[in-house]
Amino acid sequence: MPRPLNSFEEANTEFLERIRVDYGYLQPTENGLSNSIIDATQEFRDFLQPAIHEYDEQPWDGKTNGRRLPASIILGGNTVDLPKANLYRARTRGDRRIWFPGIPRYVGGGETLLTLWLNDRFWLLNASRLEFDASPALSFVLQNHVTLTRGDGSLGRPDSFWGGAETDRTALRKVRAEQAHLRQHLLQGRAHGRCSICAAELPARLLVAGHIKPRSRCSENERLDYLSAAMLVCNLGCDALFEWGYIVVDGAGIVRPARAPETLAVKASVDALLGRTCLAFNAHTSVNFATHASLNL
Ligand SMILES: [Zn+2]
């Protein structure tokens, strides 16, 4: 049985989770390393399926059945290409296994080996030794291979936030510029401001310029129109609840429920805001609040 992660290893997995990079987890044994065997545990197979490899679709007829996939190991300051990994089922019982030739040089028995899959290649990391967030080699690999994806909310915003034809990189750059412009006007140089939804008085760093009408439905000009298209909302929940449509603002400027909360925690956050008067509701913004509401009710 694999042992639980220690705090050093946990800091490493948390780093990957924070930047939303999926990883597989292996814990080779001393014995396995000297016999060139690493068990592909169920957890590791879940990481592989379906995009990378399905052991169950691999013919297992007692003959050689390996599938070879490229692999590199990430060290502190550089990466080293290894011979291709071998994913196979053992001849006798069909056990699912993986082997990375050359890996015993970089990982000891009982240490934790994490695998990333980027650009059709395994990237291996010794999570027991390498401090991920201090590794220039890892940050180089991530910068070159990780494409931020939108749509499933992995950038924290619903589809309606992003413009259709823009690439993720272009969109992010634009959003950053728009945010700077809108916040500047909404805050007017103040170091503090009030959230338009919950009315909390907060330091500027906890406030963002929220689009009232979904950003993707705004023209370039509308996106910069701080009088009618944007409001100051807090990062402590109001921005996300409004953006995802859990709350809307009705024709009288009152916060109302919309999208059904999936958990009690979301429901509690929504309930705390219902019935409040939205501070950004006025003659300029009401049309955009109505558009937002009609899309979410
Ligand atoms: Zn708020």
Side-chain angles (χ1 to χ4, degrees):
M1 280 301 284
R3 63 170 169 79
L5 297 184
N6 62 35
S7 59
F8 182 89
E9 296 161 339
E10 226 160 59
N12 281 333
T13 56
E14 276 162 16
F15 172 80
L16 295 176
E17 279 152 26
R18 208 158 54 235
I19 59 170
R20 299 193 168 87
V21 170
D22 196 16
Y23 59 87
Y25 163 96
L26 293 166
Q27 217 171 62
T29 62
E30 198 77 57
N31 213 359
L33 288 172
S34 46
N35 291 303
S36 305
I37 291 170
I38 300 177
D39 279 325
T41 57
Q42 182 61 54
E43 193 182 352
F44 185 70
R45 301 203 298 272
D46 289 343
F47 163 73
L48 297 176
Q49 288 161 355
I52 307 169
H53 184 67
E54 298 257 18
Y55 280 94
D56 291 339
E57 286 175 9
Q58 193 162 19
W60 172 50
D61 49 13
K63 302 191 192 93
T64 318
N65 57 39
R67 168 140 179 250
R68 308 266 173 178
L69 293 170
S72 301
I73 181 145
I74 300 175
L75 305 171
N78 63 309
T79 64
V80 177
D81 291 345
L82 300 173
K84 284 188 173 177
N86 188 16
L87 295 83
Y88 66 101
R89 299 190 60 177
R91 283 179 200 178
T92 44
R93 284 183 304 157
D95 292 349
R96 292 136 180 97
R97 290 178 181 164
I98 187 165
W99 181 245
F100 299 100
I103 198 64
R105 251 190 94 178
Y106 303 101
V107 61
E111 288 188 324
T112 297
L113 183 66
L114 299 188
T115 65
L116 314 182
W117 179 256
L118 304 169
N119 242 19
D120 297 325
R121 171 179 288 269
F122 284 113
W123 297 90
L124 309 182
L125 294 151
N126 184 334
S128 308
R129 290 189 216 170
L130 182 70
E131 199 177 335
F132 288 6
D133 63 358
S135 160
L138 174 58
S139 88
F140 182 81
V141 167
L142 293 172
Q143 270 169 32
N144 280 280
H145 297 301
V146 176
T147 319
L148 296 169
T149 48
R150 57 174 103 134
D152 57 355
S154 52
L155 286 178
R157 302 281 183 178
D159 258 347
S160 61
F161 184 82
W162 306 101
E166 299 166 332
T167 65
D168 290 350
R169 255 169 231 274
T170 317
L172 280 172
R173 214 175 306 134
K174 269 196 208 165
V175 168
R176 215 172 290 139
E178 289 162 16
Q179 273 293 318
H181 167 89
L182 293 173
R183 286 176 87 245
Q184 192 187 348
H185 283 283
L186 293 168
L187 279 161
Q188 296 171 323
R190 288 169 298 160
H192 293 250
R194 210 172 268 287
C195 171
S196 306
I197 304 275
C198 69
E201 178 75 22
L202 295 165
R205 67 166 62 91
L206 292 178
L207 294 164
V208 297
H211 291 274
I212 299 172
K213 169 164 130 185
R215 182 179 170 276
S216 68
R217 297 196 171 230
C218 295
S219 67
E220 299 271 329
N221 284 340
E222 279 179 313
R223 282 177 191 170
L224 298 172
D225 176 5
Y226 57 92
L227 279 182
S228 60
M231 63 174 162
L232 220 44
V233 273
C234 76
N235 260 337
L236 306 178
C238 295
D239 178 46
L241 294 174
F242 184 84
E243 189 78 58
W244 284 102
Y246 290 102
I247 51 172
V248 297
V249 172
D250 73 9
I254 309 296
V255 179
R256 301 288 180 203
R259 175 198 286 261
E262 293 87 348
T263 68
L264 287 176
V266 180
K267 185 174 184 308
S269 304
V270 168
D271 285 350
L273 300 169
L274 299 182
R276 284 189 163 279
T277 299
C278 173
L279 303 177
F281 184 84
N282 58 42
H284 297 289
T285 56
S286 57
V287 179
N288 288 327
F289 277 116
T291 305
H292 173 261
S294 70
L295 292 167
N296 289 295
L297 282 172

